[in-house]
Amino acid sequence: MAPVRLRTPLALLGAALLVLVGPPLLTTGSGAGSGTHIPGLRLMVPNSPGGGYDITARTAAKNAEDAGLTRSVEVFNLPGAGGTVGLSRLVNERGNGKLAMSMGLGVVGAVRSNHAPRTLADTTPIARLTEEQDVVVVAKDSPYRTVDDLVKAWKAAPGRLPVGGGSSPGGPDHLAPMLMARAAGIAPKDVNYIPFDGGGELLASILGSKVAFGVSGVGEYRDQIEAGELRLLAVTGPERVPGLDAPTLKESGYDVEFTNWRGVVAPPGLTDAERGKLVRLLEALHDSKEWQESMKRNGWDDAFLTGDEFGAFLAAEDKRVVSVLKELGL
């Protein structure tokens, strides 16, 4: 079987409160000279604090300000339904050039699995920023010391070994273990997958052994892995992650190569000037030494793509998620 790669990368709540986590970041640089300063810019995170979208958004905001590209960026969380509560809010802010949303493959899957009335086709694509591998992790006191130990127990009783992920069905943390199960000879429909609203919520359940293992982005759990709180069994991409002592799934004998990606979208109805300014801000961010250092530190790969090309990528990813879910019988 050829490896499946998702590469270079919801029932709505009736009422949702904006949760501002942390004060606006401040800097003396304005970005006025380069045309990147957007006064009053707000960056929405459509899941809980501590997850991949949250880390990406807060890192991008701080790096942009430290590089003098803009100032006073407000980052806020609006979690729910795998990111589609935030997506609905974004689409309803039509014409608001001072709002953008951190997102990724998880939102693509959540739209499909939750039959959300709003889709990413309703947004203004701004940029794809990064790509990263997922990690397969267990608590430090788990009986599973290798991925083969885990798979042996998993095959014996798939339903009794819950796997946790920080995305809704159809998202990266769901697709990765499903592809892993299929490669190990486990029927995906027999997998006991427990979704969490981001890697931050998932972490407590892994550490507390509420799930047998977890799957999430390398950037979300690298600190806990390096501190010895989590045991890393494998990574899902085509190559080992520098600085982390773990094999790929493929070199462990499981025919899977899988990567996630993250980006930024904005409300519909923006003028060309408003869209252009957001794109220029992220282009300048991408070229900054601050962002380049953050990507290296978090284990993110550069996957920069802007505007209409990013929009075409989003449409292709939607079709691919549907295809993979169908192929897996889900």
Side-chain angles (χ1 to χ4, degrees):
M1 180 191 68
V4 178
R5 301 187 71 183
L6 300 186
R7 281 194 64 84
T8 353
L10 314 202
L12 298 177
L13 300 179
L17 297 176
L18 292 181
V19 181
L20 176 60
V21 180
L25 301 168
L26 300 176
T27 184
T28 56
S30 69
S34 61
T36 60
H37 179 46
I38 304 175
L41 178 62
R42 308 180 76 217
L43 188 53
M44 182 197 303
V45 176
N47 63 9
S48 302
Y53 301 152
D54 188 70
I55 294 171
T56 302
R58 294 182 187 280
T59 300
K62 185 177 189 305
N63 288 172
E65 295 184 354
D66 288 347
L69 302 175
T70 191
R71 64 174 182 268
S72 302
V73 180
E74 178 188 322
V75 181
F76 67 97
N77 297 76
L78 183 58
T84 57
V85 169
L87 176 62
S88 180
R89 165 66 185 271
L90 187 82
V91 173
N92 288 338
E93 292 277 344
R94 183 177 183 85
N96 185 350
K98 298 181 183 296
L99 178 66
M101 185 177 83
S102 175
M103 50 72 69
L105 179 58
V107 176
V108 178
V111 166
R112 284 293 176 179
S113 63
N114 289 346
H115 308 289
R118 302 294 191 179
T119 75
L120 290 165
D122 298 319
T123 70
T124 299
I126 302 300
R128 186 183 66 196
L129 298 175
T130 62
E131 182 182 31
E132 72 170 339
Q133 301 196 41
D134 267 357
V135 292
V136 180
V137 293
V138 294
K140 63 182 180 182
D141 56 354
S142 167
Y144 311 120
R145 306 201 66 83
T146 68
V147 69
D148 285 335
D149 291 341
L150 172 64
V151 169
K152 182 179 179 180
W154 199 17
K155 290 179 72 172
R160 292 206 296 271
L161 263 72
V163 50
S167 60
S168 295
D173 300 350
H174 172 251
L175 293 178
M178 293 300 167
L179 294 169
M180 179 179 164
R182 184 179 65 176
I186 300 169
K189 64 181 178 60
D190 293 336
V191 173
N192 181 10
Y193 177 76
I194 300 177
F196 293 83
D197 199 4
E201 288 191 358
L202 170 63
L203 180 60
S205 288
I206 301 174
L207 293 175
S209 299
K210 300 293 179 59
V211 294
F213 67 105
V215 177
S216 193
V218 60
E220 294 174 73
Y221 290 165
R222 186 166 194 144
D223 288 347
Q224 289 79 14
I225 292 168
E226 292 178 343
E229 297 174 8
L230 293 175
R231 181 183 301 147
L232 175 60
L233 303 185
V235 296
T236 66
E239 298 175 350
R240 292 190 177 210
V241 175
L244 296 180
D245 184 19
T248 67
L249 285 173
K250 195 161 190 178
E251 72 179 277
S252 301
Y254 307 100
D255 194 9
V256 176
E257 288 184 5
F258 180 91
T259 52
N260 185 19
W261 56 267
R262 296 193 179 93
V264 174
V265 295
L270 300 192
T271 65
D272 289 344
E274 288 169 330
R275 182 184 188 183
K277 199 158 193 178
L278 284 166
V279 170
R280 285 196 301 275
L281 172 59
L282 292 182
E283 286 174 338
L285 171 68
H286 169 260
D287 293 340
S288 70
K289 65 178 179 60
E290 289 84 357
W291 179 250
Q292 295 297 320
E293 290 170 357
S294 291
M295 284 199 299
K296 183 177 180 180
R297 183 173 58 253
N298 285 295
W300 297 337
D301 294 323
D302 193 353
F304 197 64
L305 191 68
T306 61
D308 292 339
E309 289 182 322
F310 180 38
F313 172 81
L314 289 176
E317 285 293 89
D318 181 58
K319 292 178 181 178
R320 196 178 312 202
V321 164
V322 172
S323 175
V324 173
L325 288 174
K326 184 177 180 180
E327 183 183 350
L328 292 173
L330 299 172

